[in-house]
Amino acid sequence: MGHADRTIDMTTPYTRKIKQVVDATHVNDEEFIKAINVVSAHFDDKDLGASADGVNRRLRSAVDSLGLETHIAFMESLKRANQNFDRVAATISLLDESCQRIASRMDTAKKSTNQLVSEFQNLHHEEETLVQKSKILEDFLPQFSLSDEESAVLSENNPEGSVTPLFFSALNHAEKICRTSQTSIQNSKGHHRLGMEVLEHMSVLVDQAYRKLHNIVKKECDSVNEEDPSQILIAALTCLANRPVLFEYALLELGQVRGQVIERRFITALTRGGPDGVPRPIELSAHDPVRYCSDMLAWVHQTVVSEKLALTSLIPSSASVPTPVPSDDLDDISSPAKPSGVNMLLHSAFEPLCHPLKERISQTLLSRLSVVMSYKLANLLQFYHSTVAALTTAECSISVAIDQCVTLAVSNFNQMITAEQAHITAQIAQTNDLSTPTIVFETTSKLKDLIQTHNTSMIPPQQQRLTPLPTVIEGLVISCIAGCEQSTVTDETAKCVLTLNVLSTVQHTLEPFREAYTAKVLDVCADRQTIVRDRLVQLLVMYWLEQCELSVFVNEMSRDSSTPLCERENCHESKLREAVALFSSRVLSFGDSLTLPKCEFITNTNTLMIVRKCVLKELAVSYHKLYDVIHQITGDGSSINSLFQHTPAQV
C-alpha cells in the first residue's frame, strides 16, 4: 500500500480484511490514515503471503517494540520534564520570595502612598481654594484698584499738560471705586479695614486729580473761544461739577477772566468800533442820547447771547453751585434754590461791565434831556432789561445794573414831568398874547411824540414802570388849564379867549387819540371849554348891554320889586328910549358882523361862530324880555312902537 509498484493479490486473507476495513472506514479520517501509515511501515511484500499467526506475532512484536521505544522516550521526556519542573519549582520559590519581598515593599509603599494621597488631597483642596481666591481677586482688582497706567496718570508727579482721555476715565474709575468701597463698608459686618484702606488710597488719588483739573481750568480760561471751546476745559468743568466747592472757585476764576475780556471788548466797541471801523465806534453817537444808549445796550444784548452760548457749551446744564443760607434763615426748612453754573458765570463775567455801562447811561439820563427823550430812554431801558433778564436772571449783575438805570430813568422822567407841568403853568400865566402860546404848541407836540413812542414800545403793560401815559397827558393838559386860570391878564374876557384858544389847540391835537388814551382828558377839556365859553358869552353880552346902556334895565328886571320899571331910579322913559336907540344903532344895525371885543384872537373858527351865535342870541333874549316888560307896563301898542323900533321877532 505504501509501494505503488507492488501488485496486490486480493485473494489473501489480509488483503480481504484490509479491504473490508478500508471499505468500512472513512478514508478521509486523518487518524485512520495516520494509523494505516504506521502499520504499513511494518509490512512488506512477503507478509502478504505469510500465515496470519506469524504476521500477528511479528506485528505484535513490532508494536510492542514500538510501544517500548515510545515509553522510553516518554520516560526521558518525563525526566526532562521533571528536571524542568524542578527548575520551575526553584524559580517559583525564588518568585515567591520575590513576591513576599514585593508584598512587604508594597505594604511599605502603600503606607507611604496613603500619606502622599492624603497630602495630595490636601494640596488639591488648597489648589481649588487658591483658584477660587484667584478668581475672586481677579473680580476684586478691577473694582477696587487702578491699573498702573491709571495710577500714574492721576498721581501728582504727572504734569498737568498731559491730561488725556485716559485721565478722565481713570478719574471716573477711581470715583466708582470710592463709591463701591463706601457701599461695602456700610454693608459689611465688622470687616472695615480693607475697605477703609482702599477708600483712603482712592480718595487721595481723586483729590490729586481734582486739584490738577482745577489748575487746568486756570490755564485754559484765557484761551476760551466762543466758536470752538477747548474740549479739555469742557471735560474738566464737567468733572469739577461733582465737587461744588472747587467748581465754584473754577467758575469764579473763569468769570473773572471772561469779565476782563468783555470789559476790554466794550471799551474797544466804544472807542474803536469793529474791524476797519465797521461798525462805527459807539462814542460817535454820544450827541444822540437814544442812539447812544441803544447802541450800548444792543452790544450788551449781543454779548450776553454769545457769551451764554459759549458758556452753555462749556458747563453741564445740571451743574449748580451751593448757596450759603443766612443765619436768620437756619430755622427755615426750605433751602434757597441753587443757581446754575451758567447763571453764576454770567453774573461774574458781566460784573466788570456794569460800572462803565451805568456811568455812561447815568450821565446821559442826567444831561439836559427833553421829556420825550427821557420817555424814549426809559422805554428803551425797560425793553433791554426784560430781554437781558430773560436770557440770564433778574439777580444777574448786568440785569441789576440795567434795572438800576431803569429806576433812574423812571425817576428822572417823573421829575421832568413835574418840572414841565410847573414850567407850562408859569409860561402860560405870564403870556400877554391872547393867541395860543408857543408853550402850548410845544406841549401838544410833546404829547404826540409821547403817544407815538408809547405805541411803538414793546414793553408789556403789566411790566411798564413809567407813569401811565393817560395820567401824564392829563397832568400836562391840567397844567395848561391851570396856566390860563393863573394868567396875569387882568381882563376877564381876554383870559377867557386865551383859555378857549388853549383848549381848542389841545382838543385838536388829542382828538385822534381819544379812544386809546385821551377820552377822559378830552371830556375835562370839553366841560371846561363849555364853562369858559358860557362865561365869555356872558361877559360879551354884558359888554354890549353896557355899551347900549341897557344893562341898568336888565339888572332892574332881574330884581323883585313892586315898583314899576319906569318909575325906578335911572329907568326913566327917556333913558330907555336912548338905550333902545343905541342898541338899534350899535347892535341891530351890524347883525352877524357885530364886533366882539377880544374875540378876534380866537383861533378856532368854530368856537368863534358858537360864541358869536350865543352872544347874539343872549342879546336878543334880553331885548325880548325888556320888550315884554315894557309892554306889560304900558299896555299900549303905540307907546311900545315909539320906544322900540323893532319887535322881538324882527330882532
Side-chain angles (χ1 to χ4, degrees):
M1 189 174 177
H3 305 277
D5 54 351
R6 289 179 180 177
T7 304
I8 301 173
D9 187 3
M10 298 301 298
T11 59
T12 63
Y14 289 103
T15 303
R16 290 192 301 272
K17 188 176 290 186
I18 292 171
K19 187 176 184 289
Q20 291 178 355
V21 172
V22 171
D23 292 337
T25 307
H26 296 287
V27 180
N28 294 329
D29 190 354
E30 292 182 357
E31 293 182 356
F32 176 76
I33 291 174
K34 289 180 177 180
I36 290 299
N37 288 331
V38 171
V39 174
S40 66
H42 297 282
F43 281 88
D44 54 13
D45 294 337
K46 63 182 181 178
D47 292 330
L48 295 175
S51 61
D53 295 331
V55 174
N56 289 334
R57 286 191 301 271
R58 193 173 55 85
L59 182 61
R60 184 178 299 111
S61 177
V63 170
D64 291 337
S65 297
L66 182 61
L68 179 61
E69 293 176 356
T70 302
H71 282 88
I72 293 170
F74 179 73
M75 289 298 291
E76 292 179 354
S77 298
L78 287 177
K79 184 179 180 180
R80 289 193 298 271
N82 187 27
Q83 293 176 353
N84 290 333
F85 279 123
D86 292 338
R87 289 195 296 270
V88 169
T91 302
I92 291 173
S93 177
L94 293 175
L95 289 176
D96 182 55
E97 293 178 358
S98 298
C99 288
Q100 289 179 358
R101 289 194 300 271
I102 291 172
S104 176
R105 292 179 181 179
M106 286 290 293
D107 292 336
T108 304
K110 185 176 181 181
K111 294 179 181 179
S112 60
T113 302
N114 290 334
Q115 184 179 0
L116 291 175
V117 169
S118 177
E119 293 179 358
F120 173 78
Q121 291 177 350
N122 293 333
L123 292 175
H124 181 68
H125 179 70
E126 291 179 0
E127 181 185 8
E128 292 179 349
T129 304
L130 291 176
V131 170
Q132 293 178 356
K133 290 182 179 180
S134 176
K135 292 181 179 179
I136 295 173
L137 187 61
E138 290 177 357
D139 296 337
F140 172 83
L141 288 178
Q143 296 182 5
F144 292 93
S145 66
L146 299 176
S147 63
D148 294 338
E149 295 181 355
E150 292 176 335
S151 300
V153 81
L154 292 180
S155 64
E156 291 183 342
N157 298 327
N158 188 31
E160 289 83 358
S162 61
V163 173
T164 60
L166 178 61
F167 175 86
F168 296 104
S169 63
L171 178 58
N172 292 332
H173 190 191
E175 290 183 329
K176 183 178 179 181
I177 291 174
C178 289
R179 293 192 295 268
T180 306
S181 299
Q182 291 176 352
T183 304
S184 300
I185 292 172
Q186 292 174 358
N187 295 333
S188 63
K189 298 180 180 179
H191 303 288
H192 299 162
R193 181 178 176 180
L194 179 60
M196 293 297 293
E197 291 178 355
V198 172
L199 180 60
E200 182 179 359
H201 178 64
M202 290 299 145
S203 298
V204 171
L205 290 178
V206 169
D207 290 339
Q208 293 175 359
Y210 275 113
R211 285 196 296 270
K212 185 184 299 184
L213 286 178
H214 187 240
N215 296 330
I216 286 292
V217 171
K218 288 182 182 179
K219 293 183 178 181
E220 294 289 336
C221 284
D222 295 331
S223 60
V224 174
N225 189 351
E226 291 85 350
E227 297 179 357
D228 187 17
S230 170
Q231 297 300 320
I232 293 179
L233 182 58
I234 294 175
L237 288 173
T238 303
C239 290
L240 285 176
N242 299 325
R243 295 294 179 95
V245 176
L246 288 177
F247 183 65
E248 182 177 5
Y249 283 126
L251 292 185
L252 289 176
E253 293 172 358
L254 181 58
Q256 291 175 0
V257 175
R258 298 307 302 163
Q260 295 172 2
V261 173
I262 291 173
E263 186 178 15
R264 287 197 301 267
R265 290 180 180 177
F266 181 64
I267 299 302
T268 302
L270 288 175
T271 56
R272 297 174 57 186
D276 299 329
V278 180
R280 300 172 57 199
I282 298 176
E283 292 288 357
L284 294 180
S285 303
H287 62 281
D288 184 355
V290 176
R291 173 71 180 277
Y292 182 53
C293 293
S294 178
D295 288 348
M296 287 192 294
L297 293 172
W299 186 93
V300 170
H301 176 217
Q302 181 180 1
T303 305
V304 169
V305 173
S306 60
E307 194 71 13
K308 183 176 182 180
L309 290 176
L311 297 179
T312 303
S313 64
L314 285 176
I315 301 174
S317 58
S318 60
S320 60
V321 294
T323 301
V325 182
S327 58
D328 296 339
D329 299 336
L330 291 178
D331 296 334
D332 190 2
I333 298 178
S334 61
S335 61
K338 296 182 178 179
S340 67
V342 174
N343 292 332
M344 178 182 176
L345 199 51
L346 287 174
H347 175 83
S348 301
F350 283 93
E351 193 168 6
L353 179 65
C354 296
H355 180 70
L357 179 66
K358 283 197 303 181
E359 285 295 323
R360 285 165 173 77
I361 294 178
S362 299
Q363 290 176 3
T364 303
L365 291 174
L366 298 177
S367 60
R368 295 182 179 179
L369 299 177
S370 64
V371 173
V372 177
M373 195 71 70
S374 178
Y375 190 76
K376 289 181 178 179
L377 286 176
N379 278 282
L380 179 70
L381 288 168
Q382 286 188 88
F383 168 73
Y384 276 105
H385 173 257
S386 60
T387 304
V388 173
L391 290 173
T392 58
T393 58
E395 295 78 15
C396 184
S397 57
I398 190 65
S399 300
V400 173
I402 299 177
D403 181 68
Q404 292 173 354
C405 293
V406 171
T407 303
L408 179 61
V410 171
S411 175
N412 187 46
F413 175 75
N414 293 335
Q415 293 176 3
M416 293 183 70
I417 286 294
T418 303
E420 187 74 12
Q421 292 174 354
H423 177 68
I424 292 172
T425 301
Q427 288 293 319
I428 297 177
Q430 294 173 5
T431 184
N432 293 321
D433 188 4
L434 299 184
S435 60
T436 305
T438 304
I439 188 66
V440 176
F441 288 111
E442 294 176 356
T443 302
T444 54
S445 177
K446 292 176 183 178
L447 290 177
K448 290 175 65 176
D449 292 340
L450 288 175
I451 292 173
Q452 183 179 2
T453 302
H454 187 274
N455 289 337
T456 57
S457 174
M458 291 182 286
I459 308 296
Q462 63 272 16
Q463 297 181 6
Q464 182 61 260
R465 293 161 61 177
L466 287 167
T467 304
L469 185 60
T471 304
V472 174
I473 296 173
E474 183 178 358
L476 293 176
V477 172
I478 295 300
S479 299
C480 294
I481 297 174
C484 295
E485 294 175 350
Q486 300 173 15
S487 176
T488 56
V489 178
T490 56
D491 187 2
E492 189 176 1
T493 301
K495 187 180 293 187
C496 291
V497 171
L498 175 63
T499 304
L500 288 177
N501 286 334
V502 171
L503 291 174
S504 297
T505 302
V506 171
Q507 286 179 310
H508 177 72
T509 303
L510 299 182
E511 187 62 36
F513 313 104
R514 170 183 286 273
E515 294 184 1
Y517 310 106
T518 62
K520 182 178 179 180
V521 71
L522 285 176
D523 292 340
V524 173
C525 290
D527 295 340
R528 185 64 183 172
Q529 189 178 33
T530 301
I531 294 172
V532 174
R533 187 174 60 240
D534 293 343
R535 179 57 180 166
L536 178 60
V537 169
Q538 184 181 3
L539 292 173
L540 292 174
V541 170
M542 291 176 61
Y543 169 79
W544 280 111
L545 290 177
E546 289 177 355
Q547 292 295 320
C548 300
E549 299 180 358
L550 287 174
S551 59
V552 177
F553 297 96
V554 174
N555 292 333
E556 289 295 333
M557 283 189 300
S558 61
R559 292 172 56 190
D560 294 333
S561 178
S562 59
T563 305
L565 180 63
C566 294
E567 296 180 1
R568 298 178 188 176
E569 186 179 0
N570 298 327
C571 294
H572 299 295
E573 183 179 350
S574 59
K575 291 186 177 183
L576 178 60
R577 190 181 300 278
E578 293 176 0
V580 172
L582 289 173
F583 183 80
S584 299
S585 61
R586 295 183 178 181
V587 177
L588 297 182
S589 60
F590 289 96
D592 291 341
S593 60
L594 179 65
T595 301
L596 301 177
K598 309 294 182 181
C599 289
E600 66 271 14
F601 296 104
I602 298 178
T603 57
N604 189 289
T605 305
N606 188 32
T607 302
L608 178 59
M609 291 176 61
I610 293 175
V611 170
R612 184 181 297 279
K613 181 179 179 180
C614 291
V615 169
L616 294 176
K617 181 178 180 180
E618 290 298 326
L619 289 174
V621 169
S622 299
Y623 184 85
H624 191 278
K625 289 181 179 180
L626 183 60
Y627 185 90
D628 290 342
V629 170
I630 299 301
H631 185 271
Q632 291 177 2
I633 294 174
T634 59
D636 188 359
S638 59
S639 299
I640 290 295
N641 292 332
S642 63
L643 289 173
F644 297 93
Q645 298 177 4
H646 303 85
T647 63
Q650 294 174 340
V651 171

